[in-house]
Every structure is written in structure tokens, then in C-alpha cells.
Amino acid sequence: MNIPTTSRRRFLATSLAGTVSIPAWSAPLGANGDIRVAVICFRGRGGGHIKELLKIPGVRVVALCDVDQSVIDKRVAELAKDNVQVKTYRDFRQCCADKDVDAVTIATPNHSHVLIALTALQHGKHVYVEKPVSHNLIESAKLMAAATRAASKGIIVQHGMQR
């Protein structure tokens, strides 16, 4: 049996990690030149996304999405203390469809990363997705193909790698 092989160099060159190493926030697109970001799921790692995004000049957190309304309410109250007003969503599809959002960060449970990233890309959003990006190579291939198509339109997909 002849099993196809690939080199490590080819794998990295054609993988998601190999194609999105440019800064995701380099070209402001939103109103007044700000990049308007929605954070999808923020009870854990996404809370760190909010904290770090709020520190970046030219970036505004404009929407939060989580399935748990009590989690949303708590974070909205915390942000209000700092005069940060956000839209809220419980359905990621509605969040991704929001025309006032330029980019999304995804920190949901692992099994939903690709589905949400693909949905965001279909709506023309830049995407930051936490690790692991997918559970299998089929999901990875689908996201890679979508990211490649999006890149031709100037849309960036970035995969979290904290190491």
C-alpha cells in the first residue's frame, strides 16, 4: 500500500498556524478607525480576552456572547463600572451577523471552535480562535479553506498559541 506522506515543513506551510502569523489588529476597519470586537464565551479564557482587548488603543469591545444569561449580566455590570457599553447575545449566529462587529474572539468549549469561526468568516469577520482550533483534520481542513478564501479578501484568522 502506498501511503501519502508530507514533510513537517509542508504541513506547517499549509496549516492554519502557518498562514496567520500576521497581526490580527493591524488594519482598523470600524467606525472612527476603531476595531469593534465581540467576545464569544468569557467565563474562562474569554475573560482574559476582554481584559487584554480593553488595553489596546483603537480596539473596542462592543459585544459579548454567552449561552448563560447570568454570566452575561455579571460581565456587563463589571464593564459598566468602566463606562464600557456592549450589546449582548446568547446565540453566536446573531453575534456573528451583527454589522457593528469587525472581529470576534472565540473561547468557547473546544468542540464548537470551528463552527463558530466558519460562521464568523461567512459574515466577513476577522477571527481569533483559542486552541485547540479543531478536534480532527477534517474540521481543520474546512477552516483552513475558509481562512484562505477570507485572506484573499483581507480577512484574518488567528489561532491561539500561548507558548
Side-chain angles (χ1 to χ4, degrees):
M1 178 174 2
N2 189 2
I3 299 172
T5 62
T6 188
S7 69
R8 182 173 189 266
R9 182 181 303 260
R10 171 138 174 77
F11 175 78
L12 290 174
T14 59
S15 71
L16 189 59
T19 61
V20 294
S21 59
I22 57 179
W25 317 114
S26 62
L29 298 174
N32 302 318
D34 288 347
I35 298 167
R36 303 164 300 181
V37 181
V39 178
I40 302 176
C41 195
F42 45 87
R43 192 173 194 171
R45 184 76 185 114
H49 292 189
I50 294 169
K51 178 181 172 188
E52 295 305 316
L53 289 166
L54 291 173
K55 295 177 184 177
I56 303 171
V59 173
R60 289 187 295 136
V61 176
V62 297
L64 298 178
C65 179
D66 199 285
V67 296
D68 188 334
Q69 188 63 48
S70 64
V71 171
I72 292 172
D73 293 343
K74 180 180 177 185
R75 188 60 59 132
V76 167
E78 290 171 4
L79 290 171
K81 291 176 186 174
D82 294 325
N83 294 317
V84 177
Q85 303 297 316
V86 295
K87 292 181 184 179
T88 62
Y89 298 94
R90 292 186 61 200
D91 185 331
F92 73 87
R93 295 169 294 189
Q94 293 171 347
C95 181
C96 290
D98 185 339
K99 295 191 184 320
D100 293 329
V101 171
D102 300 315
V104 300
T105 71
I106 303 166
T108 57
N110 302 343
H111 66 274
S112 60
H113 286 177
V114 171
L115 177 61
I116 298 171
L118 290 173
T119 302
L121 289 171
Q122 287 174 340
H123 288 283
K125 310 301 184 208
H126 297 277
V127 175
Y128 174 86
V129 59
E130 277 295 341
K131 64 184 182 318
V133 74
S134 68
H135 276 192
N136 58 57
L137 292 176
I138 294 169
E139 284 183 356
S140 295
K142 288 186 182 301
L143 184 55
M144 183 63 206
T148 301
R149 286 189 304 273
S152 70
K153 299 173 189 169
I155 296 174
I156 297 167
V157 177
Q158 185 173 349
H159 175 230
M161 299 292 288
Q162 285 75 37
R163 292 182 183 224

